[in-house]
Amino acid sequence: MKSVSWRMLIGIVIVIILLLVVIVLVAAALLLSTGNPPEGEISGVYGLVYAIESALIGVLTGVAEWIDYIAGQIQRLSGVI
């Protein structure tokens, strides 16, 4: 039996990401076509941009926290204070 190759694993990840992007675009198109978003949500293109911006800010904040944590661990392990 062969183990899963890196190419296959990367291909699977790319396909999953593309499927998620398609789902988001279809949902956005449905939201724009109805013009009637859920309670408290912003409608139209600005609502879509705002949702994407909020998601990206969350991802960037998480990445920054992980980088800070890793840098702290490296600093602690190296003995430099």
Side-chain angles (χ1 to χ4, degrees), residues 9-27:
L9 186 62
I10 291 171
I12 291 171
V13 170
I14 289 173
V15 166
I16 290 172
I17 290 171
L18 287 175
L19 284 173
L20 290 173
V21 168
V22 167
I23 290 170
V24 167
L25 290 176
V26 168

Side-chain angles (χ1 to χ4, degrees), residues 1-69:
M1 272 179 84
K2 270 187 152 179
S3 63
V4 177
S5 69
W6 283 106
R7 286 183 183 176
M8 182 180 285
L9 186 62
I10 291 171
I12 291 171
V13 170
I14 289 173
V15 166
I16 290 172
I17 290 171
L18 287 175
L19 284 173
L20 290 173
V21 168
V22 167
I23 290 170
V24 167
L25 290 176
V26 168
L30 290 173
L31 180 67
L32 290 175
S33 67
T34 60
N36 191 13
E39 185 73 28
E41 301 236 353
I42 303 169
S43 65
V45 176
Y46 179 71
L48 176 63
V49 171
Y50 182 75
I52 293 172
E53 181 184 18
S54 297
L56 289 177
I57 288 172
V59 168
L60 291 175
T61 302
V63 169
E65 289 175 1
W66 270 101
I67 290 173
D68 187 42
Y69 172 76

Side-chain angles (χ1 to χ4, degrees), residues 66-80:
W66 270 101
I67 290 173
D68 187 42
Y69 172 76
I70 292 170
Q73 292 300 318
I74 291 171
Q75 185 179 18
R76 184 181 65 82
L77 291 173
S78 67
V80 177

